[in-house]
Amino acid sequence: MPISFDDRVISTLCSTSKLYKQNYVDYTYLIVSKSFSNEPYYIIEMHDDNFLHLSGVQTSLNASVFFGKCIDDSLSITDIIAPSIGSKYYKGTIRRKINVLPDFVNGFDTSYSVQENFNKNSITCNFASANYNLTIGFLKVHESVPFTLLKGNCLDNSLAKPIDVLLRKPRTDGIFNEVIIGNPIIIKEFITLIPALKSIVSKDLY
């Protein structure tokens, strides 16, 4: 029997929440690009309460409680406004989100590019990163937090540039100690260009 769209939404939210925690909530990221002009680099932190906003669903649950129910597989269709009874716009929004969530939660890789001053319709972000399938936009508060998840690459091709360096560290660690994108030569180049990085990047990386 074919799975209903409501059931597919719940299944996708529960499965992707675990990878979201594993790849994002448990880590802090450092992103650097030669294209950046507003800031020399950005620190990215994604929290459990950001997941609700990225999912597109509406619920009366607290965002952290919602995420916890996704993590322990206890989320049910009665916990959210079911897409089947929502507006056409609401259902379409959720469809677009759950189509790209599985790709997004797998983590960043070299297929991603980046653009500062991202604007799309009424959405404005300090920067956004995208691959061929999705765009994730960030707002800089203290660290940069996820603000929007869009289907497709929505960056301006004339402004988007490669991510030169992407590092991460376990959230509780003091220095960045793992390379996702980059190599010792280019990391050392940015350490020289941006002295503030020296105190937060492990010497073992360059």
Side-chain angles (χ1 to χ4, degrees), residues 41-54:
Y41 62 90
Y42 292 92
I43 303 293
I44 297 173
E45 288 195 350
M46 304 191 212
H47 304 281
D48 55 3
D49 57 3
N50 298 131
F51 186 75
L52 172 59
H53 180 65
L54 298 178

Side-chain angles (χ1 to χ4, degrees), residues 107-113 130-131 162-164 166 180-182:
F108 291 109
D109 58 38
T110 55
S111 68
Y112 280 80
S113 53
N131 63 14
I163 297 173
D164 292 299
L166 182 67
I180 307 300
I181 298 173

Side-chain angles (χ1 to χ4, degrees), residues 42-110:
Y42 292 92
I43 303 293
I44 297 173
E45 288 195 350
M46 304 191 212
H47 304 281
D48 55 3
D49 57 3
N50 298 131
F51 186 75
L52 172 59
H53 180 65
L54 298 178
S55 75
V57 304
Q58 296 176 12
T59 177
S60 61
L61 296 174
N62 171 279
S64 293
V65 172
F66 171 82
F67 185 69
K69 289 175 78 71
C70 291
I71 287 287
D72 66 17
D73 295 320
S74 66
L75 187 73
S76 72
I77 198 64
T78 59
D79 290 319
I80 67 173
I81 296 178
S84 59
I85 64 171
S87 68
K88 184 177 180 180
Y89 175 82
Y90 176 61
K91 185 174 183 178
T93 296
I94 294 175
R95 188 182 301 278
R96 290 188 294 273
K97 302 285 189 185
I98 68 166
N99 280 344
V100 299
L101 264 174
D103 185 2
F104 169 63
V105 298
N106 278 326
F108 291 109
D109 58 38
T110 55

Side-chain angles (χ1 to χ4, degrees), residues 8-202:
R8 181 185 164 207
V9 168
I10 296 300
S11 175
T12 300
L13 292 175
C14 290
S15 62
T16 56
S17 68
K18 297 167 183 60
L19 282 172
Y20 176 80
K21 182 179 187 305
Q22 176 183 310
N23 289 323
Y24 294 130
V25 176
D26 292 344
Y27 289 91
T28 299
Y29 288 80
L30 166 68
I31 185 170
V32 187
S33 173
K34 291 177 182 175
S35 68
F36 290 162
S37 58
N38 297 337
E39 301 285 344
Y41 62 90
Y42 292 92
I43 303 293
I44 297 173
E45 288 195 350
M46 304 191 212
H47 304 281
D48 55 3
D49 57 3
N50 298 131
F51 186 75
L52 172 59
H53 180 65
L54 298 178
S55 75
V57 304
Q58 296 176 12
T59 177
S60 61
L61 296 174
N62 171 279
S64 293
V65 172
F66 171 82
F67 185 69
K69 289 175 78 71
C70 291
I71 287 287
D72 66 17
D73 295 320
S74 66
L75 187 73
S76 72
I77 198 64
T78 59
D79 290 319
I80 67 173
I81 296 178
S84 59
I85 64 171
S87 68
K88 184 177 180 180
Y89 175 82
Y90 176 61
K91 185 174 183 178
T93 296
I94 294 175
R95 188 182 301 278
R96 290 188 294 273
K97 302 285 189 185
I98 68 166
N99 280 344
V100 299
L101 264 174
D103 185 2
F104 169 63
V105 298
N106 278 326
F108 291 109
D109 58 38
T110 55
S111 68
Y112 280 80
S113 53
V114 68
Q115 175 193 329
E116 275 188 314
N117 302 319
F118 175 75
N119 294 280
K120 179 70 173 178
N121 300 325
S122 60
I123 300 168
T124 300
C125 300
N126 293 93
F127 73 97
S129 187
N131 63 14
Y132 68 95
N133 192 40
L134 65 91
T135 302
I136 177 75
F138 295 90
L139 285 183
K140 186 176 185 296
V141 187
H142 177 54
E143 288 79 20
S144 297
V145 296
F147 181 65
T148 188
L149 179 63
L150 304 171
K151 185 177 181 180
N153 187 330
C154 301
L155 303 186
D156 183 331
N157 289 333
S158 67
L159 299 174
K161 301 295 181 183
I163 297 173
D164 292 299
V165 173
L166 182 67
L167 310 179
R168 75 176 185 179
K169 67 181 182 69
R171 185 65 60 89
T172 56
D173 282 11
I175 60 173
F176 291 91
N177 50 26
E178 182 181 355
V179 179
I180 307 300
I181 298 173
N183 59 60
I185 293 174
I186 196 166
I187 293 172
K188 188 171 183 177
E189 177 185 338
F190 278 107
I191 294 288
T192 302
L193 291 172
I194 311 169
L197 293 178
K198 191 170 185 179
S199 63
I200 59 174
V201 175
S202 171

